Amino acid sequence: MFGIDIYSLIPVLILAVSPSLIWLFFYLKEDLHPEPRYWLFIIFVMGIALAPLVIFLEMILNKWGSSAMILLIAPLVEETAKYGVVHLALTKNPVLDEPVDGMIYVIVAALGFAAIENVFAIFSFIPIGSPGYLGATFNFMTMRFISAVALHGLASGIAGYYFAKFYFIEKKPILILKGLFFATVFHGIYNFLIIRKEQTFSLILTGITLGAAAILVIYLFNRLKHYKTYQQIDTIAE
């Protein structure tokens, strides 16, 4: 990044963050009772701050082997970290006052994570300041919008659903483990498909997988909307 003109950097950063903000706008429409912008911003920024730490941890764990890293370790670390941010920041926080909030906030953390991941990806693959770099960045971010960024939101939506069930409906820790398991499996399948050599066939399968996950997440949102409780389960028990 050193030696790059600031006027070249600003539009690149805007393009890097835009996919996450677009998906965020879409997901927030699923919440019938909008969340405080302050907390949405805090969780989004926490997701951003999380990314460098996760990348550093993944570099340490990379000694386990490339295949295990891509298919299991990296997905598990990332999904646990994205969920963990929300658990640490919002458990027992009155801002969580309806089941859908559980999914919303985990997704927000994931989209913050994806935003900074986009920045790293741009600087890894595109020579900033070279002729046509803005067009290349736009095309690159368009692909990530429908692939990697979508993946993060959908995987965390699955984990967030089980967090919501744990927080509002059944105080069973196994629900958290189930959410992280299914999110990790989905993330691992995505990683497996994108590294396959049969590019055309893999892209088709990736699209089908993401599409199926999107339908599932919408279904899970609708399931949570049917629960009438707007209090934490501990409060109800008291």
Side-chain angles (χ1 to χ4, degrees), residues 76-109:
L76 178 59
V77 170
E78 292 179 14
E79 298 309 325
T80 301
K82 289 181 291 183
Y83 160 73
V85 162
V86 177
H87 186 93
L88 292 175
L90 297 183
T91 296
K92 305 302 181 184
N93 189 320
V95 74
L96 285 180
D97 57 4
E98 60 178 328
V100 169
D101 295 352
M103 288 184 71
I104 290 293
Y105 280 110
V106 181
I107 289 172
V108 170

Side-chain angles (χ1 to χ4, degrees), residues 6-222:
I6 187 66
Y7 297 106
S8 300
L9 184 60
I10 291 175
V12 168
L13 294 178
I14 292 174
L15 287 171
V17 175
S18 293
S20 289
L21 296 180
I22 294 171
W23 279 120
L24 179 60
F25 174 78
F26 171 80
Y27 281 115
L28 291 181
K29 292 176 66 176
E30 292 293 323
D31 191 356
L32 299 178
H33 305 87
E35 300 307 301
R37 292 182 179 179
Y38 170 79
W39 277 108
L40 292 173
F41 177 76
I42 290 296
I43 297 301
F44 189 83
V45 170
M46 290 179 73
I48 289 176
L50 179 70
L53 298 175
V54 170
I55 291 172
F56 176 72
L57 178 58
E58 289 176 346
M59 290 173 61
I60 294 175
L61 296 176
N62 195 43
K63 63 182 181 180
W64 285 38
S66 58
S67 296
M69 182 68 193
I70 293 172
L71 302 181
L72 177 61
I73 300 172
L76 178 59
V77 170
E78 292 179 14
E79 298 309 325
T80 301
K82 289 181 291 183
Y83 160 73
V85 162
V86 177
H87 186 93
L88 292 175
L90 297 183
T91 296
K92 305 302 181 184
N93 189 320
V95 74
L96 285 180
D97 57 4
E98 60 178 328
V100 169
D101 295 352
M103 288 184 71
I104 290 293
Y105 280 110
V106 181
I107 289 172
V108 170
L111 294 177
F113 181 94
I116 197 66
E117 189 179 69
N118 282 348
V119 174
F120 286 121
I122 288 173
F123 284 100
S124 297
F125 295 103
I126 297 176
I128 306 304
S130 63
Y133 78 96
L134 280 179
T137 301
F138 177 81
N139 292 335
F140 187 48
M141 285 298 99
T142 300
M143 287 301 300
R144 287 187 63 84
F145 170 75
I146 61 176
S147 56
V149 180
L151 160 79
H152 282 296
L154 294 170
S156 290
I158 295 170
Y161 169 76
Y162 286 95
F163 169 57
K165 286 194 68 175
F166 166 78
Y167 197 74
F168 289 95
I169 301 161
E170 298 179 273
K171 225 33 171 185
K172 296 180 179 179
I174 189 64
L175 290 171
I176 300 299
L177 296 178
K178 286 177 66 174
L180 293 176
F181 172 77
F182 290 129
T184 298
V185 169
F186 168 54
H187 195 150
I189 291 173
Y190 170 88
N191 285 356
F192 171 74
L193 291 174
I194 63 173
I195 63 174
R196 285 172 61 88
K197 295 181 179 179
E198 301 86 351
Q199 288 296 318
T200 302
F201 183 64
S202 294
L203 285 175
I204 293 173
L205 284 180
T206 302
I208 292 173
T209 301
L210 290 172
I215 294 172
L216 173 63
V217 168
I218 292 172
Y219 168 74
L220 295 178
F221 265 120
N222 289 329

